[in-house]
Amino acid sequence: MILRLIKSYMLPIAMTTGILFASFFAQFAPITPYLIFVMLFVTYCKVSIREIAFERFHYYLAAIQLFGSLLVYGIVYLYNPVVAQGSMICVLAPTATAAAVITGMLGGNVASLTAYSFISNLVVALFAPAIFSLIGSRGDISFLSSLFHILKEVFPMLMLPIITAVALQKTAPRIHHYIQNRQSISFYLWALALTIMVGKTVMFIKHQSTSKYDAEIAIAVIAFLVCIAQFYIGRKIGSRYKNTITAGQGLFQKNTVLAIWMAQSYLDPLSSIGPGAYILWQNSVNSYQLWLKQRKK
């Protein structure tokens, strides 16, 4: 009972802890990529490869994720380059590992969502390094050097988890089955990673040389607009393929921990305000959806 209560309020607990003890948790930021790797690995251990089937609407969603992020960046760049980065990452970020859980609770197709999650992560692994190298702060580093450096860090972190999970299923099915039945591990790792990322974001804001509150507010507002737009567009596309819930959750529910880490690592750190605010917006939408679902019952 107590454990269930803690799980229900883990988001505000993690964010509050990160804010209150920011200086302590911020120092653990270097372990975030490893936490994300293990989170994805545990999640993919639950997936049966035989159940994964790619559908046409998956590719439409992936195209929106990639080209939509560039479009948003181009439009907002005219206002402010840093705000543009914070807005762009909210579209480019891949589907959240928890999206399958919410999709199932809402009555969507979990297997289809899982298939899109793989495509969504692949899009980021393949294209994010080039995008970050072009628009990020590279200093005197050449484009190719920056590209290979980011590719070396991002691609393995997103693709190796599924490769490792499949290999483990083939070579050590008993260990695979054990991890498969321990999905709560991913949840607690997510909470820890979120606490660390919130702490690092708070420390950055606290120590920034000049106050940029207007840019921070603009990033948070645009993150809200992007959240609602992706939710609407995803459901609109999904309705044509009788997968309204799945497509809506797949496009709008983002892996914000990964997005914050990427923003802080390869873009202007202030842009991490975007996915930080997106956490609140997407969880507000999910909470409202679940409330409506419960009300109908």
Side-chain angles (χ1 to χ4, degrees):
M1 183 67 180
I2 296 177
L3 194 60
R4 186 182 301 175
L5 186 65
I6 292 176
K7 278 190 173 184
S8 300
Y9 293 97
M10 185 55 76
L11 173 66
I13 290 174
M15 295 191 70
T16 303
T17 304
I19 293 171
L20 294 178
F21 304 99
S23 59
F24 173 76
F25 284 103
Q27 61 187 323
F28 296 102
I31 71 170
T32 304
Y34 303 102
L35 294 176
I36 294 172
F37 178 95
V38 178
M39 282 164 51
L40 291 172
F41 168 69
V42 172
T43 300
Y44 283 131
C45 279
K46 187 180 180 181
V47 178
S48 173
I49 301 301
R50 295 177 181 177
E51 294 179 357
I52 294 182
F54 301 120
E55 302 177 57
R56 181 176 294 181
F57 77 89
H58 290 158
Y59 303 109
Y60 289 135
L61 298 182
I64 292 172
Q65 178 187 344
L66 176 59
F67 298 110
S69 65
L70 298 176
L71 177 63
V72 167
Y73 176 80
I75 294 173
V76 183
Y77 182 85
L78 299 173
Y79 167 69
N80 185 303
V82 176
V83 177
Q85 291 182 11
S87 307
M88 179 271 296
I89 198 69
C90 291
V91 183
L92 182 63
T95 303
T97 54
V101 177
I102 302 297
T103 299
M105 293 173 68
L106 294 171
N109 188 327
V110 176
S112 180
L113 188 283
T114 303
Y116 174 66
S117 177
F118 173 76
I119 296 176
S120 180
N121 279 281
L122 183 62
V123 166
V124 175
L126 291 175
F127 296 101
I131 294 173
F132 294 156
S133 297
L134 285 170
I135 69 175
S137 302
R138 296 179 285 120
D140 297 328
I141 304 176
S142 68
F143 170 76
L144 287 178
S145 297
S146 176
L147 175 64
F148 287 122
H149 173 73
I150 299 173
L151 186 65
K152 182 179 67 177
E153 293 189 354
V154 173
F155 190 86
M157 182 177 64
L158 294 179
M159 290 295 102
L160 280 183
I162 191 168
I163 296 172
T164 307
V166 172
L168 187 66
Q169 186 179 22
K170 300 293 184 182
T171 58
R174 294 182 65 179
I175 298 176
H176 181 272
H177 181 71
Y178 178 84
I179 298 174
Q180 189 178 48
N181 294 323
R182 301 293 187 281
Q183 289 299 306
S184 59
I185 295 173
S186 182
F187 176 79
Y188 292 114
L189 288 176
W190 167 81
L192 175 59
L194 178 59
T195 304
I196 292 171
M197 288 293 94
V198 169
K200 187 175 180 181
T201 302
V202 169
M203 292 305 294
F204 169 76
I205 295 173
K206 185 177 179 181
H207 292 121
Q208 59 184 336
S209 55
T210 56
S211 58
K212 302 177 180 178
Y213 299 118
D214 55 339
E216 293 167 4
I217 293 172
I219 292 173
V221 170
I222 295 177
F224 171 75
L225 298 176
V226 165
C227 177
I228 299 302
Q230 290 185 106
F231 179 71
Y232 174 78
I233 294 171
R235 290 178 66 88
K236 202 71 176 175
I237 292 174
S239 64
R240 297 182 180 181
Y241 297 89
K242 298 180 180 179
N243 263 307
T244 304
I245 295 173
T246 305
Q249 296 302 125
L251 187 61
F252 114 94
Q253 192 170 346
K254 300 294 187 177
N255 188 338
T256 47
V257 170
L258 174 64
I260 293 173
W261 175 76
M262 290 191 299
Q264 292 179 343
S265 300
Y266 307 118
L267 303 175
D268 189 302
L270 188 65
S271 66
S272 63
I273 296 292
Y278 200 96
I279 295 172
L280 298 176
W281 308 140
Q282 77 174 10
N283 280 280
S284 297
V285 173
N286 280 335
S287 297
Y288 180 66
Q289 288 187 98
L290 293 172
W291 176 78
L292 285 178
K293 183 77 174 179
Q294 191 63 36
R295 187 183 181 187
K296 288 181 180 179
K297 287 183 179 180

